[in-house]
C-alpha cells in the first residue's frame, strides 16, 4: 500500500519471488513526497542506520543505472556553511566528524559558491561525493520493473478496511477486496492511519512540512549551473541551482496532517530572507513553489519490520528526508525481511561500518513495542 518511492521500490523487489499488487489511493503515483523531493544523495546524511543505507545504495544505484541505460545520480558536492556560533558548533561537533565530510576555510567555501558573503561566514565543510538524484526517473524505473515482473498497480484505490480473514489479511477498497498472506504498509504519512484500520497500535509517525521555492537569479549574480548544494549547518535554509534558477528552502519542519499541503507565503519569504542575509544575491522573484511532507518515526530512523503480534503485516515507512537516497538498499533489505531471507551482505557491511546493527534498522521487530527504539 503506497505508490511513492517506498512502496514502488519494495514492491519491485518483492515481485522477484511472487505476485504483488500495489494499491495507491491517489489517481496518480508519486503525487506527494516523492514528486516533491529536493533530490539529493548525500553520504553521511541522517542517523547511523540511514547513513548505512545511503552508503549501501551507491553501488545499487550504479546497477540500476546499468539496467535503465541512464544514470539516476549526477555529481553535485554539498557545501555546509555556518554563520553564527550555534551553527559553527553544530558543524564542528556533528558534521565534521563524519568520514564523508572535509573542512574548508571560509575563503575556500566562497571560491566554491561565490554568492556567499565572506564577511559573515564563520566555517564551512564539503561532501565531495554527494550527488543530485532523479527521484521520478528512479520511481519510473521501479514501476517498469514491477510490471515486467508481473506486478499489478492500481491507482485511485484507497483502502477502506484492513482485517484478518482466516490466515490471511483482507484488504477492502471501494470496488472490491483482496486477500493476501502478506501486507506491506508503505504509505508515508498515511501509514499510521492504515495501522488503525487494521486495529494495530500506531508507530507514532509524524508528517512534517517542507517548502521549496524556485526563484529567479538576478542578472549578473554569481550563480553557476554547477554550483554546489549549499546547506545551512543549523538547517535554517538550503539552496542549489535548478536550471537557470535557484532552488531554495527554509528547511522548516512544521507538524501537519497527512494530505496535500500548500506553500505558506511566510515560509517562502523566510527562505529568501535567510539566503539573502548571507549572500550577495538579492533574491526577490519566485517562479514556483511547493510543499511536501517528510515523515519521521519518533527516533527519526527508518521503520522497516513486522508487527510481532500481527503475522503478515509489515511496515516500510518513516524515510523522512532520505527516501530517495536510501531506496535501493532499503527496499532490498525490506524485501528480505518480509520474505524471511538473509539480509543483503552489503547492507550488513555498511551497518557495521557505521557502528550500528540490523536491529537498529528493524526496530519494529524488537520485542512487541509499537514504537521504534
Amino acid at each position: 500500500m503506497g505508490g511513492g518511492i517506498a512502496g514502488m521500490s519494495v514492491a519491485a523487489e518483492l515481485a522477484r519471488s511472487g505476485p504483488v499488487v500495489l494499491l495507491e489511493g491517489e489517481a496518480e503515483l508519486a503525487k506527494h513526497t516523492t514528486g516533491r523531493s529536493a533530490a539529493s544523495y548525500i553520504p553521511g546524511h541522517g542517523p547511523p542506520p540511514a547513513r548505512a543505507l545511503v552508503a549501501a545504495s551507491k553501488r545499487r544505484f550504479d546497477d540500476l543505472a546499468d539496467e535503465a541505460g541512464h544514470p539516476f545520480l549526477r555529481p553535485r558536492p554539498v557545501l555546509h556553511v555556518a554563520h553564527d556560533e550555534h551553527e559553527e558548533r553544530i558543524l564542528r561537533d556533528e558534521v565534521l566528524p563524519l568520514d564523508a565530510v572535509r573542512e574548508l576555510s571560509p575563503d575556500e567555501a566562497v571560491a566554491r559558491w561565490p554568492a556567499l558573503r565572506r564577511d559573515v561566514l564563520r566555517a564551512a565543510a564539503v561532501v565531495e561525493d554527494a550527488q543530485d538524484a532523479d527521484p521520478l526517473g528512479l520511481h519510473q524505473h521501479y514501476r517498469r520493473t514491477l510490471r515486467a515482473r508481473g506486478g499489478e498497480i492500481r491507482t485511485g484505490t484507497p483502502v477502506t478496511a484492513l482485517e484478518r480473514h482466516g490466515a490471511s489479511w483482507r484488504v477492502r477498497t471501494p470496488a472490491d477486496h483482496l486477500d493476501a498472506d502478506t501486507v506491506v504498509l508503505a504509505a508515508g504519512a498515511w501509514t499510521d492511519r492504515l495501522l488503525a484500520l487494521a486495529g494495530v497500535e500506531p508507530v507514532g509517525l509524524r508528517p512534517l512540512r517542507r517548502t521549496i521555492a524556485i526563484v529567479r537569479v538576478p542578472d549578473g549574480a554569481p550563480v553557476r549551473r554547477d554550483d554546489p548544494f549549499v546547506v545551512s549547518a543549523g538547517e535554517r535554509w538550503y539552496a542549489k541551482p535548478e536550471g537557470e534558477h535557484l532552488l531554495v528552502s527554509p528547511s522548516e519542519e512544521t507538524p501537519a496532517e497527512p494530505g496535500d499541503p500548500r506553500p505558506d507565503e511566510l515560509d517562502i519569504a523566510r527562505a529568501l530572507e535567510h539566503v539573502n542575509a548571507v549572500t550577495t544575491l538579492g533574491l526577490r522573484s519566485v517562479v514556483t513553489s511547493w510543499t511536501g511532507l517528510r515523515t519521521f518515526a519518533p527516533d527519526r530512523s527508518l521503520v522497516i519490520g513486522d508487527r510481532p503480534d500481527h503475522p503478515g503485516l509489515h511496515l516500510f515507512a518513516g524515510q523522512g528526508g532520505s527516501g530517495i537516497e536510501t531506496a535501493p538498499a532499503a527496499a532490498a533489505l525490506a524485501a528480505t525481511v518480509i520474505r524471511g531471507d538473509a539480509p543483503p551482505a552489503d547492507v550488513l557491511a555498511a551497518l557495521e561500518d557505521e557502528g550500528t546493527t540490523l536491529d537498529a534498522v528493524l526496530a519494529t521487530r524488537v520485542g512487541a513495542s509499537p514504537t521504534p527504539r
Side-chain angles (χ1 to χ4, degrees):
M1 300 176 191
I5 190 63
M8 193 63 68
S9 60
V10 76
E13 291 289 346
L14 288 169
R16 294 177 184 271
S17 57
V20 174
V21 178
L22 183 145
L23 304 181
E24 167 56 54
E26 299 287 357
E28 59 189 272
L29 296 165
K31 177 179 178 180
H32 297 292
T33 304
T34 300
R36 303 176 187 185
S37 168
S40 293
Y41 170 89
I42 307 174
H45 184 220
R51 293 202 299 265
L53 292 171
V54 170
S57 289
K58 180 59 176 67
R59 180 186 60 78
R60 292 174 178 273
F61 268 115
D62 294 339
D63 292 344
L64 291 170
D66 290 341
E67 292 175 10
H70 58 82
F72 297 111
L73 300 177
R74 297 185 184 278
R76 186 179 301 279
V78 167
L79 182 63
H80 294 274
V81 292
H83 288 91
D84 59 28
E85 183 178 352
H86 171 69
E87 288 195 330
E88 184 173 3
R89 184 167 57 252
I90 291 174
L91 185 114
R92 298 198 180 284
D93 292 349
E94 301 178 20
V95 179
L96 281 172
L98 300 172
D99 291 340
V101 182
R102 178 171 64 86
E103 185 171 9
L104 297 179
S105 70
D107 288 336
E108 289 174 322
V110 173
R112 290 293 189 100
W113 197 38
L116 284 169
R117 285 178 50 194
R118 172 64 182 84
D119 60 313
V120 294
L121 183 62
R122 294 175 64 108
V126 66
V127 181
E128 298 284 12
D129 294 333
Q131 316 260 340
D132 275 345
D134 177 7
L136 293 181
L138 182 66
H139 183 274
Q140 289 168 3
H141 179 67
Y142 277 122
R143 181 180 63 185
R144 288 192 293 267
T145 300
L146 173 60
R147 285 178 166 156
R149 292 172 178 166
E152 179 184 352
I153 298 172
R154 301 185 188 181
T155 55
T157 309
V159 174
T160 57
L162 180 58
E163 58 203 18
R164 290 296 292 179
H165 186 73
S168 301
W169 286 95
R170 175 155 290 180
V171 182
R172 297 190 184 275
T173 70
D176 58 8
H177 70 265
L178 300 88
D179 290 331
D181 294 333
T182 302
V183 170
V184 182
L185 308 184
W190 286 264
T191 300
D192 268 352
R193 291 188 176 183
L194 291 170
L195 283 172
L197 286 180
V200 180
E201 207 167 345
V203 172
L205 293 165
R206 297 179 65 234
L208 304 175
R209 293 167 51 97
R210 173 61 58 89
T211 298
I212 290 175
I214 306 297
V215 298
R216 289 186 178 86
V217 176
D219 291 342
V223 172
R224 304 161 298 196
R225 288 175 180 262
D226 62 348
D227 279 338
F229 182 4
V230 186
V231 180
S232 154
E235 297 190 1
R236 295 169 180 162
W237 60 273
Y238 60 73
K240 73 171 181 175
E242 182 73 17
E244 62 184 8
H245 303 303
L246 193 68
L247 178 154
V248 301
S249 172
S251 299
E252 88 277 22
E253 292 192 344
T254 306
E257 290 297 314
D260 190 15
R262 298 299 184 212
D264 186 317
E265 291 185 3
L266 289 177
D267 289 327
I268 297 171
R270 190 176 300 114
L272 298 185
E273 179 183 1
H274 286 324
V275 176
N276 285 336
V278 297
T279 69
T280 60
L281 293 175
L283 303 173
R284 292 188 301 274
S285 178
V286 176
V287 177
T288 188
S289 61
W290 63 86
T291 298
L293 295 178
R294 304 159 77 244
T295 302
F296 291 94
D299 65 355
R300 298 180 76 90
S301 288
L302 282 74
V303 178
I304 303 175
D306 62 10
R307 302 278 71 190
D309 296 331
H310 303 276
L313 187 63
H314 291 261
L315 304 180
F316 186 42
Q319 284 89 344
S322 296
I324 303 300
E325 62 187 351
T326 62
L333 173 61
T336 62
V337 171
I338 292 164
R339 292 193 298 256
D341 296 339
D346 60 329
V347 173
L348 293 178
L351 289 166
E352 184 176 357
D353 288 344
E354 283 294 338
T356 188
T357 65
L358 186 62
D359 280 347
V361 182
L362 307 181
T364 56
R365 291 173 56 85
V366 180
S369 170
T371 304
R373 297 189 300 186

